[in-house]
Amino acid sequence: MKTMKITLIPVAIAAVLSFSAMAADTPDMAGMKMDAPKTVAGKTHHGIGVINTVNIKKAKVNITHEAISSLDWPAMTMNFKVTGKQALSSLKPGEKVEFDLSEQPKGQYVITKISPLKH
Ligand SMILES: [Cu+2]
């Protein structure tokens, strides 16, 4: 009977340890998911440009933007995907805008905020 006790106790301890490890994992993983866009990508850059075209259906805008020094980007014309519920219909070609740019995990840059440039 003594031998049974000795073998059962480590099993019980192992079961408790693995259970608490699983319980501890859940909040850690949730925290990692939340932090990922901030640490891996997700840095916000600020740009100024002029709207060329607005594609509301695809949530895309074509912008000729000024140089963005935080990205080491020269001035250029390019398409951007716009995330979130932006009022794209209020943007007009030829309009000067300011926008926030965020790097997504796949290295794509999306506009997270865009509005007419206030003088
Ligand atoms: Cu560009």
Side-chain angles (χ1 to χ4, degrees):
M1 278 320 191
K2 238 181 184 179
T3 49
M4 266 190 78
K5 257 186 192 169
I6 287 160
T7 53
L8 277 174
I9 288 163
V11 168
I13 288 167
V16 168
L17 283 177
S18 65
F19 181 80
S20 61
M22 274 173 69
D25 267 0
T26 312
D28 274 359
M29 281 175 70
M32 277 171 70
K33 270 177 197 163
M34 279 177 71
D35 288 347
K38 265 186 189 168
T39 52
V40 176
K43 196 187 168 201
T44 300
H45 304 272
H46 198 70
I48 290 171
V50 175
I51 300 272
N52 297 311
T53 56
V54 180
N55 188 329
I56 293 167
K57 239 182 185 177
K58 289 184 178 175
K60 275 183 177 178
V61 289
N62 184 278
I63 293 178
T64 300
H65 67 76
E66 294 176 1
I68 301 173
S69 56
S70 61
L71 281 168
D72 213 15
W73 280 7
M76 65 178 120
T77 300
M78 63 192 290
N79 291 311
F80 286 109
K81 181 122 181 132
V82 181
T83 63
K85 288 183 178 175
Q86 288 287 329
L88 288 182
S89 54
S90 69
L91 300 170
K92 295 172 203 80
E95 192 169 38
K96 199 167 187 184
V97 292
E98 56 183 334
F99 53 90
D100 286 347
L101 207 55
S102 179
E103 189 182 0
Q104 300 300 293
K106 282 177 184 172
Q108 287 177 310
Y109 287 88
V110 300
I111 288 177
T112 54
K113 194 179 168 189
I114 186 165
S115 57
L117 188 65
K118 282 160 198 141
H119 297 279

